Amino acid sequence: MRETVHLLKSTHLGNERSIWVREPAQPDRPCRLAIFLDGELYRDRVGAVSLIEALEAEASIANTLILFISMQSIEARWIECPCHPPFADFIHRELLPWLEVKYPAVKNARARVLIGLSYTGLAAAFVTMSAPGAFTHVVAQSGSFWWNDCWLVEQFRNLEKPLPTAFYLDVGSKETNENVRHKEDVLQVVSQIDAIRRLRDVMRNQGCAVKYVEFDGGHEFSAWQKTLPDALRWALPAGSKK
């Protein structure tokens, strides 16, 4: 499958990053769109490219244009991922319009999926809330919804109407650590699993569509590698007209 690497400058973020684009296996047919945040982590640590190739070979997912977005740098990730409005603006006002010019088929994509892990799982949900309807599905693998005392969970609780987006939330049964200081100004008071269960319950109470998966494991790439194929089958089902 053809893959192209682009550099995209962001006015909203004041930096530039790599974008890997994998074109659909059938470029002349209708396609879906899947955008992976944390591009390097998904490519190098989760092995997402090989997983996607296997799913395509067995016709388990729909014809899809796939993007991997670079984190730009570790420093940028700490700033951009925790519910950062300029990052949402980058996705909605820069990335998506750029993509539609480069690959016009995505304008009519039947599904638009935003995918992230840990901190970018949090970012994916925030980006989707920032522009309801821009994405049809979110995959958040062990999303860091503990951030800022579960701030985003409370934003979902206060929604006036449910988002028109289906959410896949997974988390490991061993993600139970509390009061973890990730860096000097980042304290995780609530455990990963507790925060994600809270979000799941709030979303369901609000009428949002949620698929919740609890796996036997911890906050680790090997676990996300195992759950990603089912998440992609859920978001990009082969033969679906949605």
Side-chain angles (χ1 to χ4, degrees):
M1 180 177 295
R2 182 183 174 191
E3 180 176 271
T4 308
V5 183
H6 304 271
L7 287 176
L8 183 60
K9 291 183 178 180
S10 170
T11 300
H12 290 284
L13 296 173
N15 55 32
E16 181 179 60
R17 71 195 63 219
S18 297
I19 309 288
W20 294 264
V21 180
R22 293 175 55 81
E23 296 186 26
Q26 299 172 300
D28 297 328
R29 296 191 60 188
C31 71
R32 279 71 166 172
L33 171 64
I35 298 176
F36 286 81
L37 306 178
D38 267 338
E40 294 90 342
L41 298 183
Y42 268 111
R43 293 170 66 85
D44 301 335
R45 304 295 299 276
V46 178
V49 173
S50 296
L51 295 175
I52 290 166
E53 288 175 346
L55 292 170
E56 290 171 337
E58 63 189 33
S60 291
I61 58 174
N63 194 46
T64 305
L65 186 144
I66 297 171
L67 269 72
F68 294 94
I69 302 176
S70 170
M71 72 174 72
Q72 207 275 332
S73 67
I74 294 295
E75 293 75 18
R77 188 177 188 269
W78 280 112
I79 296 168
E80 296 173 359
C81 293
C83 303
H84 189 52
F87 186 73
D89 289 338
F90 161 66
I91 297 293
H92 296 303
R93 299 182 182 181
E94 294 178 320
L95 177 71
L96 290 177
W98 169 85
L99 183 62
E100 290 176 355
V101 171
K102 285 279 188 183
Y103 302 92
V106 304
K107 291 181 181 179
N108 300 313
R110 293 176 178 175
R112 290 187 173 195
V113 186
L114 191 58
I115 303 161
L117 57 83
S118 192
Y119 237 12
T120 50
L122 171 72
F126 176 74
V127 166
T128 301
M129 177 181 281
S130 300
F135 291 96
T136 61
H137 299 75
V138 166
V139 172
Q141 297 189 274
S142 295
S144 297
F145 297 106
W146 51 262
W147 176 78
N148 196 17
D149 292 331
C150 297
W151 178 85
L152 191 63
V153 177
E154 294 308 306
Q155 304 310 302
F156 273 93
R157 192 188 308 277
N158 295 328
L159 286 175
E160 294 183 359
K161 58 182 179 180
L163 292 182
T165 301
F167 285 80
Y168 172 100
L169 307 175
D170 75 17
V171 66
S173 59
K174 296 181 175 64
E175 296 190 65
T176 57
N177 291 337
E178 300 176 345
N179 296 310
V180 179
R181 188 165 294 281
H182 296 277
K183 55 189 303 224
E184 184 177 353
D185 58 344
V186 180
L187 175 64
Q188 174 185 341
V189 176
V190 179
S191 72
Q192 208 93 10
I193 192 167
D194 186 24
I196 292 172
R197 286 172 176 171
R198 290 187 196 182
L199 179 63
R200 172 202 62 191
D201 294 344
V202 166
M203 283 183 167
R204 287 176 175 172
N205 288 338
Q206 288 283 28
C208 296
V210 182
K211 180 177 177 64
Y212 174 77
V213 174
E214 197 168 298
F215 57 82
D216 181 17
H219 200 75
E220 53 203 7
F221 294 106
S222 59
W224 302 324
Q225 184 179 62
K226 291 177 182 177
T227 59
L228 182 60
D230 279 345
L232 295 179
R233 292 186 187 100
W234 167 84
L236 302 163
S240 172
K241 295 182 179 180
K242 297 182 179 179

